[in-house]
Amino acid sequence: DAKTTQPPSMDCAEGRAANLPCNHSTISGNEYVYWYRQIHSQGPQYIIHGLKNNETNEMASLIITEDRKSSTLILPHATLRDTAVYYCIVRGRANDYKLSFGAGTTVTVRA
Amino acid sequence: DTEVTQTPKHLVMGMTNKKSLKCEQHMGHRAMYWYKQKAKKPPELMFVYSYEKLSINESVPSRFSPECPNSSLLNLHLHALQPEDSALYLCASSQVSSGRAAEQFFGPGTRLTVL
């Protein structure tokens, strides 16, 4: 799987959009970008995934650049409950069960 | 039911004890996972079961013994652990997909302390 690079930490004001960047310059054509988050003392939680088109669900939006070398997770209206470590993960073929977590970005939402 | 449950939530054991961690899901998922997470580190994959058969063992020491008795249950048997094995043990499950890799659903974890 391609490696990812994320900033170690970022702050966000409550009610504002949080934009979390991720670089994955070695991503290959059949690899998807996944985002998970882990709130303190809980298990990781799936957020969203995408291949090349932008995606949106009830939790977040995922913007993938045209060359697919980077992506941005957008939390449209951050709340204090969004404070967590956010992991950007690139995964390949269907039988690739391995979810390789990097260091992630620690996001702190401040009131 | 969209939950993965794990018991116990906390476990303290001595190095000579034998204990087991349990994980259960009722989402019909046929892939189940054990991860280990040390403090301030990301989770690391230990084992994967697919259709109740062990498909991945990430070179985990034999003092950790996984078991998948049926499609809903996953156990992790612990014996002769070391203090450095103290960690959060996470269970996850997913569909077995023929297309893209399926998203994994995680339980809350068991916080293990080895004395």
Side-chain angles (χ1 to χ4, degrees), chain A residues 32 34 36 38 41-46 49 87 91-103, chain B residues 31 33 35 37 42-43 45 48 50 55-56 58 90 96-104 106-108:
Chain A
Y32 287 75
Y34 286 76
Y36 284 74
Q38 187 172 21
S41 295
Q42 297 183 21
Q45 176 189 24
Y46 164 80
H49 74 275
Y87 296 102
R91 295 180 70 193
R93 62 195 186 280
N95 291 327
D96 183 6
Y97 295 109
K98 189 168 182 175
L99 198 59
S100 296
F101 291 86
Chain B
Y33 311 76
Y35 288 82
Q37 185 173 25
L45 182 67
V48 179
S50 175
S55 62
I56 295 177
E58 290 286 296
L90 294 159
V96 177
S97 174
S98 59
R100 62 166 181 85
E103 51 266 32
Q104 296 179 18
F106 284 81

Side-chain angles (χ1 to χ4, degrees), chain B residues 45-115:
Chain B
L45 182 67
M46 300 174 71
F47 302 104
V48 179
Y49 274 82
S50 175
Y51 295 106
E52 296 86 67
K53 294 191 188 314
L54 184 66
S55 62
I56 295 177
N57 177 341
E58 290 286 296
S59 302
V60 178
S62 60
R63 57 185 184 269
F64 296 91
S65 176
E67 178 196 22
C68 191
N70 61 54
S71 61
S72 299
L73 293 174
L74 185 67
N75 299 320
L76 186 63
H77 303 297
L78 314 173
H79 174 55
L81 294 194
Q82 303 297 311
E84 58 264 30
D85 296 322
S86 298
L88 180 68
Y89 288 84
L90 294 159
C91 174
S93 70
S94 75
Q95 295 177 348
V96 177
S97 174
S98 59
R100 62 166 181 85
E103 51 266 32
Q104 296 179 18
F105 293 79
F106 284 81
T110 293
R111 178 78 58 187
L112 174 67
T113 302
V114 181
L115 301 177

Side-chain angles (χ1 to χ4, degrees), chain A residues 43-102:
Chain A
Q45 176 189 24
Y46 164 80
I47 301 173
I48 199 167
H49 74 275
L51 182 62
K52 54 183 177 181
N53 297 322
N54 298 338
E55 303 288 344
T56 295
N57 63 20
E58 65 278 5
M59 290 183 67
S61 295
L62 175 61
I63 309 298
I64 302 174
T65 57
E66 194 168 341
D67 63 7
R68 301 207 328 121
K69 293 185 176 182
S70 66
S71 60
T72 301
L73 180 75
I74 301 172
L75 308 177
H77 305 286
T79 71
L80 299 179
R81 287 173 295 183
D82 292 321
T83 292
V85 179
Y86 287 77
Y87 296 102
C88 169
I89 302 167
V90 170
R91 295 180 70 193
R93 62 195 186 280
N95 291 327
D96 183 6
Y97 295 109
K98 189 168 182 175
L99 198 59
S100 296
F101 291 86

